[in-house]
């Protein structure tokens, strides 16, 4: 009865300022109980969360999504600790804030915001309920990446003169597509939420972060992925592409950038960009490879082919 009453009252409160998004699930109720002196590690969620404290006192620290890559190291989506955030060696995010929740206080945590909760010492156990819902971006992304021709639009180019998508041809087109995509995304994004605000000022920083931070040596070892290749430039893949394929790849990058701009709010784009890059770049690996081998190949492709030699180094730091 208490749970149903709390859900009814919280739902009536939240729906005043938090209408459900189009194509979203209904809000889900969660009950959170914590013993004295317990705390959560920094992490982000893919859902929006309205968190109401019922008993006890909690310290909450919130960091907006723009702090994610600059001030935290984020595990990749394939890792068992996905969504966990490790503070890196830089100073704390200047846009973070913290407060103490008392019984009856509600905090709204947008999807992608890094947060941590800890019970205030000597205030006893805590109890809270939350209402969560997934954003529309989650559903769009889930459907989008299931179609190779939608997520890589250059594959829609009409086949002429007995052309076929051989593996070398696909790799060459992905190479040109990936080179254009990062620039296209940054040009189309509002300055506050430009890729450089998440990954650093260098135009290839998003690719560098994927190779050297998301999949650092510790993460590779824990996932059974071979260490970084000892080979250095030039790119070991043979990149030969026709003018028509190069033009199609460049146009496809423009189309994908516009999809991100149209369907993904600026503050949530970073949540889906890294999984998107992993999805499309995994196609450079031969078919039917073990997952860890596929990841190792796509990371080598980024490291040795997409990143210029001057920044293909683990010493490069996001600005």
């Amino acid at each position: 009865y208490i749970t149903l009453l709390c859900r009814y009252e919280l739902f009536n409160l939240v729906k005043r300022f938090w209408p459900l998004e189009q194509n979203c699930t209904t809000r889900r109720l969660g009950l959170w109980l914590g013993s004295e002196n317990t705390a959560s590690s920094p992490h982000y969620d893919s859902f929006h969360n309205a968190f109401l404290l019922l008993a006890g006192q909690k310290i909450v620290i919130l960091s907006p999504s723009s702090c994610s890559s600059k001030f935290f190291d984020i595990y990749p989506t394939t890792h068992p600790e996905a969504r966990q955030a490790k503070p890196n060696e830089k100073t704390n995010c200047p846009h973070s804030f913290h407060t103490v929740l008392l019984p009856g206080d509600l905090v709204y945590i947008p999807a992608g915001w890094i947060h941590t909760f800890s019970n205030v010492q000597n205030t006893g156990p805590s109890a809270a309920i939350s209402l969560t819902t997934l954003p529309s971006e989650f559903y769009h992304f889930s459907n989008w990446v299931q179609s190779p021709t939608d997520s890589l639009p250059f594959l829609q180019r009409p086949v002429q003169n007995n052309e076929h998508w051989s593996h070398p041809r696909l790799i060459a087109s992905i190479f040109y597509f990936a080179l254009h995509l990062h620039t296209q995304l940054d040009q189309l994004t509002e300055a506050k939420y430009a890729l450089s605000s998440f990954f650093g000022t260098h135009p290839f920083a998003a690719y560098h972060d994927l190779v050297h931070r998301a999949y650092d040596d510790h993460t590779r070892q824990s996932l059974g992925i071979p260490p970084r290749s000892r080979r250095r430039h030039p790119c070991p893949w043979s990149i030969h592409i026709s003018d028509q394929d190069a033009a199609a790849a460049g146009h496809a990058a423009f189309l994908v950038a516009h999809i991100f701009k149209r369907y993904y709010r600026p503050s949530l784009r970073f949540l889906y960009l890294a999984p998107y890059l992993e999805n499309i770049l995994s196609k450079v690996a031969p078919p039917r490879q073990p997952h860890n081998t596929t990841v190792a190949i796509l990371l080598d492709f980024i490291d040795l082919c997409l990143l210029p030699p001057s920044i293909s180094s683990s010493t490069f730091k996001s600005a």
Side-chain angles (χ1 to χ4, degrees):
Y1 174 78
I2 293 177
T3 300
L4 291 175
L5 177 62
C6 289
R7 177 173 184 172
Y8 176 78
E9 295 296 337
L10 181 58
F11 179 82
N12 284 335
L13 173 64
V14 170
K15 72 178 182 180
R16 297 176 189 173
F17 66 90
W18 183 24
L20 279 174
E21 301 177 20
Q22 185 177 4
N23 300 324
C24 288
T25 59
T26 56
R27 301 180 184 91
R28 297 175 182 241
L29 179 70
L31 175 64
W32 302 89
L33 302 175
S35 59
E36 190 171 5
N37 301 327
T38 58
S40 66
S41 58
H43 68 284
Y44 71 88
D45 296 309
S46 22
F47 49 75
H48 306 303
N49 183 2
F51 185 93
L52 175 66
L53 188 66
L54 302 177
Q57 297 182 27
K58 278 186 177 291
I59 299 172
V60 57
I61 302 175
L62 298 176
S63 300
S65 53
S66 58
C67 293
S68 59
S69 186
K70 283 188 175 184
F71 299 94
F72 296 90
D73 292 332
I74 307 295
Y75 286 101
T77 56
T78 55
H79 197 277
E81 296 187 53
R83 297 186 297 101
Q84 300 299 307
K86 301 176 294 182
N88 60 32
E89 71 276 8
K90 297 188 177 183
T91 57
N92 294 330
C93 176
H95 305 296
S96 298
F97 63 92
H98 74 276
T99 188
V100 176
L101 298 181
L102 302 177
D105 287 343
L106 181 144
V107 60
Y108 174 68
I109 307 171
W113 279 49
I114 294 173
H115 55 281
T116 181
F117 287 99
S118 57
N119 285 354
V120 177
Q121 291 186 357
N122 302 320
T123 59
S126 64
I129 57 174
S130 63
L131 282 177
T132 62
T133 188
L134 289 164
S136 58
E137 287 86 346
F138 177 89
Y139 299 98
H140 180 275
F141 186 81
S142 299
N143 293 324
W144 181 35
V145 297
Q146 289 183 16
S147 170
T149 55
D150 287 341
S151 56
L152 279 177
F154 62 76
L155 292 176
Q156 301 174 13
R157 194 167 81 82
V159 176
Q160 300 175 350
N161 301 323
N162 296 320
E163 294 177 317
H164 68 283
W165 282 104
S166 64
H167 195 233
R169 182 188 176 197
L170 179 62
I171 290 175
S173 290
I174 290 176
F175 172 80
Y176 273 78
F177 170 82
L179 287 179
H180 285 87
L181 178 62
H182 204 286
T183 301
Q184 289 283 351
L185 283 169
D186 221 21
Q187 289 175 349
L188 288 172
T189 304
E190 294 82 347
K192 180 181 178 182
Y193 293 105
L195 292 183
S196 58
S197 71
F198 293 105
F199 299 108
T201 56
H202 197 283
F204 293 94
Y207 294 129
H208 181 279
D209 275 15
L210 188 60
V211 173
H212 296 289
R213 295 181 65 182
Y215 285 98
D216 60 14
D217 291 340
H218 172 74
T219 300
R220 288 176 184 244
Q221 183 178 12
S222 64
L223 293 176
I225 297 173
R228 284 182 63 203
S229 173
R230 295 180 177 272
R231 295 174 298 182
R232 297 270 56 87
H233 295 271
C235 174
W237 282 269
S238 178
I239 306 295
H240 299 291
I241 191 170
S242 68
D243 292 341
Q244 294 85 353
D245 279 355
H251 183 62
F254 173 80
L255 293 176
V256 168
H258 273 277
I259 289 174
F260 271 102
K261 181 176 177 64
R262 179 178 179 181
Y263 295 105
Y264 296 80
R265 280 162 287 187
S267 60
L268 292 179
R269 285 176 196 154
F270 88 100
L271 283 179
Y272 300 95
L273 178 59
Y276 173 79
L277 293 176
E278 288 188 59
N279 179 272
I280 60 116
L281 293 176
S282 67
K283 293 175 174 55
V284 304
R288 296 180 292 278
Q289 296 292 314
H291 176 71
N292 58 347
T293 302
T294 296
V295 174
I297 291 173
L298 79 87
L299 294 177
D300 268 358
F301 183 77
I302 296 173
D303 199 16
L304 304 177
C305 300
L306 295 179
L307 292 179
S310 58
I311 67 167
S312 183
S313 166
S314 58
T315 61
F316 176 82
K317 301 295 182 185
S318 299

